[in-house]
């Protein structure tokens, strides 16, 4: 999950080839294509200079849509040696520690032999999605979601059993909030089932304790002024819309976390997977535009000053 690939700008000779290549990247796939080198788009367009007008128009549309959907992302300050070809440059970054690129897309015929980690366009070794099993630690939650955290203006953390009074939950959220706050996110929304939280004490005690925990979370993550953090505690037991799976959701895409946002003991594993397009399109209105029949029991809102 969350790996970056790089593609030789000369590897696609038709817009159809490029369209098929781009299908393997973006939040719905769980991996991203880096613009490498910095003038990658210009080099790609140069390959289509002699193409028909309609083909060049398709190319322009594909690039624009890929950027809008975050299939293609810029990576700043990556080294490039003009004396070497694309694959030689890219392989150096793929072999660095830690690797900048998880895989490379290139055509045969370059002076570096194809090997593991170097794929041709349409290579069946590239899986449709990059889901994986991880050790359920805060570091691994962040590793698999870092790009989505960084590129999203608004993030929803959906977990019916989200527990802000547990250290195991706070540690994960604190690290994820810190990363997202360094990016574009200025609105954090958490969704939890009220009955799952209301285990000890009264509703008033619960709200007071969670508000205190949220305040500590916000203070520890150094979120920018103007950032909004909200916890929505809802009742869904007797409703048509149910919270069941656990998600990190953005308008760009989403990730399903098998065990929600909790650190698990003794190295226990959790399945992490990108949300497919169809599921994403059904989830987005439920949480982003409140097209649900949840009963909102309590909302705790903090505005960072």
């Amino acid at each position: 999950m969350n790996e970056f690939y790089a593609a030789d700008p000369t590897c696609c000779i038709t817009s159809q080839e490029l369209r098929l290549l781009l299908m393997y990247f973006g939040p719905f796939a769980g991996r991203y294509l880096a613009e490498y080198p910095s003038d990658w788009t210009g080099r790609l367009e140069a390959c289509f200079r002699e193409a028909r007008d309609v083909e060049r128009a398709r190319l322009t549309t594909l690039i624009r849509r890929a950027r809008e959907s975050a299939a293609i992302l810029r990576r700043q300050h990556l080294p490039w040696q003009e004396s070497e070809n694309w694959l030689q440059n890219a392989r150096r970054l793929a072999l660095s520690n830690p690797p900048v690129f998880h895989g490379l897309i290139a055509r045969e015929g370059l002076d570096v032999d194809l090997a593991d980690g170097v794929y041709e366009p349409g290579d069946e070794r590239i899986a449709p999605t990059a889901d994986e099993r991880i050790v359920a630690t805060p570091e691994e939650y962040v590793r698999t979601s870092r790009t989505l955290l960084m590129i999203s203006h608004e993030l929803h953390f959906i977990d019916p059993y989200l527990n802000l009074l547990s250290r195991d939950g706070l540690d994960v959220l604190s690290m994820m909030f810190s990363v997202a706050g360094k990016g574009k996110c200025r609105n954090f929304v958490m969704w939890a089932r009220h009955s799952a939280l209301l285990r000890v004490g009264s509703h008033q005690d619960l709200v007071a304790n969670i508000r205190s925990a949220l305040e500590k979370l916000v203070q520890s993550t150094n979120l920018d002024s103007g950032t909004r953090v909200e916890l929505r505690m809802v009742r869904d037991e007797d409703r048509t819309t149910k919270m069941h799976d656990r998600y990190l959701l953005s308008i760009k895409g989403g990730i399903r976390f098998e065990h929600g946002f909790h650190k698990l003991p003794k190295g226990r594993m959790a399945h992490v997977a990108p949300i497919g397009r169809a599921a994403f399109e059904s989830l987005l209105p439920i949480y982003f535009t409140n097209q649900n029949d949840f009963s909102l029991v309590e909302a705790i809102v903090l505005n960072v000053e």
Side-chain angles (χ1 to χ4, degrees):
M1 284 284 295
N2 196 49
E3 296 95 352
F4 273 84
Y5 283 59
D8 183 349
T10 68
C11 73
C12 294
I13 58 176
T14 68
S15 62
Q16 175 68 359
E17 283 188 341
L18 181 61
R19 185 183 69 82
L20 294 174
L21 174 66
L22 292 174
M23 289 174 60
Y24 286 97
F25 301 99
F28 297 127
R31 64 173 74 90
Y32 301 88
L33 188 64
E35 291 193 50
Y36 180 75
S38 58
D39 61 346
W40 182 84
T41 300
R43 292 173 183 245
L44 176 61
E45 290 171 340
C47 297
F48 284 73
R49 190 169 294 137
E50 303 301 323
R52 294 177 301 156
D53 290 348
V54 65
E55 186 74 347
R56 292 201 305 273
R58 288 171 181 157
L59 172 69
T60 299
T61 299
L62 284 170
I63 294 173
R64 175 178 56 79
R65 289 177 177 172
R67 284 179 172 153
E68 291 172 351
S69 66
I72 300 175
L73 292 173
R74 294 185 182 277
R75 295 294 302 270
Q76 302 293 330
H77 311 302
L78 296 181
W80 175 265
Q81 297 292 332
E82 288 292 348
S83 60
E84 297 180 336
N85 66 32
W86 182 89
L87 189 53
Q88 289 171 323
N89 275 286
R91 284 199 68 176
R92 186 178 299 108
L93 295 178
L95 296 173
S96 62
N97 186 21
V100 175
F101 300 134
H102 183 78
L104 308 176
I105 314 294
R107 283 191 180 275
E108 290 186 276
L110 297 174
D111 61 1
V112 179
D113 292 336
L114 295 180
D116 290 341
V118 183
Y119 308 93
E120 296 180 86
D123 198 314
E124 294 182 355
R125 292 177 296 160
I126 305 177
T129 62
D131 62 309
E132 62 175 293
R133 286 176 60 78
I134 65 170
V135 179
T137 63
E139 292 79 10
E140 284 291 272
Y141 282 104
V142 166
R143 178 185 66 80
T144 53
S145 62
R146 180 179 296 276
T147 300
L148 194 64
L149 292 172
M150 293 288 291
I151 66 175
S152 302
H153 293 274
E154 180 174 332
L155 288 165
H156 289 240
F157 297 75
I158 300 145
D159 181 354
Y161 302 103
L162 186 71
N163 187 358
L164 292 171
L165 303 180
S166 162
R167 190 74 255 170
D168 291 339
L170 275 178
D171 286 349
V172 172
L173 288 174
S174 177
M175 189 170 289
M176 295 181 83
F177 277 36
S178 292
V179 171
K182 294 173 183 174
K184 298 179 179 180
C185 189
R186 297 298 177 266
N187 193 23
F188 296 81
V189 183
M190 293 164 283
W191 298 76
R193 183 176 292 138
H194 180 257
S195 61
L197 292 169
L198 195 62
R199 295 170 181 169
V200 179
S202 66
H203 170 80
Q204 289 76 13
D205 290 338
L206 173 69
V207 172
N209 291 336
I210 289 180
R211 178 177 289 276
S212 177
L214 266 181
E215 290 172 348
K216 292 178 182 177
L217 173 64
V218 169
Q219 291 169 2
S220 69
T221 49
N222 296 315
L223 299 176
D224 284 351
S225 175
T227 300
R228 183 176 182 275
V229 179
E230 178 180 4
L231 171 65
R232 297 177 184 175
M233 293 180 279
V234 303
R235 186 174 72 242
D236 69 339
E237 293 88 342
D238 56 348
R239 303 304 164 116
T240 302
T241 309
K242 302 283 187 182
M243 280 195 296
H244 178 64
D245 287 338
R246 287 83 155 176
Y247 302 108
L248 172 66
L249 203 61
S250 153
I251 61 169
K252 298 286 189 181
I255 301 171
R256 178 184 176 272
F257 291 95
E258 181 183 12
H259 294 294
F261 307 97
H262 294 89
K263 181 171 59 178
L264 300 181
K266 298 180 181 179
R268 284 178 56 193
M269 306 289 286
H271 184 225
V272 180
I275 302 172
R277 186 180 296 274
F280 170 77
E281 290 177 351
S282 69
L283 289 167
L284 196 65
I286 293 174
Y287 294 102
F288 272 74
T289 56
N290 289 312
Q291 296 181 37
N292 59 64
D293 61 349
F294 295 149
S295 176
L296 181 62
V297 179
E298 188 78 41
I300 301 174
V301 179
L302 297 180
N303 293 298
V304 181
E305 297 180 353

